[in-house]
């Protein structure tokens, strides 16, 4: 039971982490540097991806490396673990973390992107969060299905075991009657 719940929680977490990772990458792809200004074209598809969990809310913030907010929510919890981008060839490594925001449990992803123009370069940080209602529901559903399987397996196994014991002990019943006679 413990293992089933662990598996269900891990699978739900991984699924929804991939969902917010995809949305964060879509947002990152639509941030550019043009004439020394950061241009942000928020893709509707990123938020449609997050809307696949209709009971959840999404929060985002795009900031410069110095912490100045470009767009989004200005008071999102930040992770201290975001690895700053040091050059254009750096791989974007996302950092996941959980925090409470506006009284709700939220799973966040944070990543950095270096924007390069001919004579300018800037780093932006993207923080995207989604409440954890849908992932909790998915974990509960998966855990419930595994529990149903385990209970069914236990009942069938116990029934077969009882039938086997009855079948094995049946000749002893005849032997008992013979001895009594």
């Amino acid at each position: 039971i413990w293992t089933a719940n662990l598996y269900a929680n891990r699978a739900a977490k991984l699924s929804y982490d991939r969902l917010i990772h995809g949305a964060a990458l879509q947002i990152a792809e639509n941030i550019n540097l043009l004439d020394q200004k950061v241009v942000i074209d928020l893709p509707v598809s990123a938020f449609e991806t997050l809307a696949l969990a209709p009971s959840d809310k999404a929060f985002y913030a795009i900031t410069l490396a110095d912490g100045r907010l470009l767009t989004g929510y200005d008071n999102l919890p930040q992770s201290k673990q975001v690895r700053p981008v040091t050059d254009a060839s750096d791989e974007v490594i996302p950092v996941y973390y959980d925090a409470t925001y506006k009284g709700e449990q939220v799973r966040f992803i944070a990543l950095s992107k270096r924007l390069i123009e001919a004579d300018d370069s800037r780093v932006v940080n993207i923080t995207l969060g989604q409440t954890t209602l849908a992932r909790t529901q998915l974990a509960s559903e998966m855990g419930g299905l595994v529990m149903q399987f385990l209970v069914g397996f236990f009942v069938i196994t116990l029934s077969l075991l009882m039938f086997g014991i009855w079948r094995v002990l049946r000749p002893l019943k005849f032997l008992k009657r013979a001895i009594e006679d």
Side-chain angles (χ1 to χ4, degrees), residues 8-158:
N9 285 323
R10 185 177 182 280
K13 186 176 185 177
L14 185 62
S15 298
Y16 281 94
D17 280 356
R18 287 181 177 160
L19 197 75
I20 63 171
H21 186 205
L25 289 176
Q26 288 178 29
I27 291 171
E29 288 175 4
N30 287 288
I31 302 173
N32 297 299
L33 196 58
L34 184 63
D35 296 328
Q36 297 183 343
K37 292 182 182 176
V38 177
V39 178
I40 301 167
D41 182 21
L42 290 174
V44 174
S45 60
F47 294 101
E48 286 175 349
T49 300
L50 294 175
L52 292 173
S55 60
D56 282 331
K57 299 174 191 165
F59 309 100
Y60 73 97
I62 301 170
T63 59
L64 292 173
D66 63 7
R68 281 186 297 154
L69 181 70
L70 297 172
T71 185
Y73 294 79
D74 62 352
N75 57 351
L76 288 183
Q78 298 296 316
S79 171
K80 306 282 188 239
Q81 302 172 351
V82 176
R83 185 177 152 273
V85 177
T86 54
D87 64 39
S89 65
D90 269 359
E91 181 183 347
V92 176
I93 299 174
V95 174
Y96 297 95
Y97 60 99
D98 296 304
T100 301
Y101 182 68
K102 293 190 175 186
E104 297 186 77
Q105 282 300 113
V106 181
R107 179 77 168 164
F108 286 98
I109 184 173
L111 50 90
S112 295
K113 178 183 179 183
R114 178 170 290 281
L115 305 174
I116 299 174
E117 196 176 34
D119 57 346
D120 194 9
S121 169
R122 295 188 194 178
V123 174
V124 293
N125 297 317
I126 299 127
T127 304
L128 181 62
Q130 184 178 34
T131 55
T132 58
L133 297 172
R135 71 179 64 210
T136 303
Q137 288 172 347
L138 178 61
S140 295
E141 286 177 24
M142 290 174 65
L145 289 174
V146 171
M147 289 299 297
Q148 288 175 358
F149 171 76
L150 287 174
V151 167
F153 182 76
F154 179 72
V155 167
I156 291 171
T157 303
L158 188 60

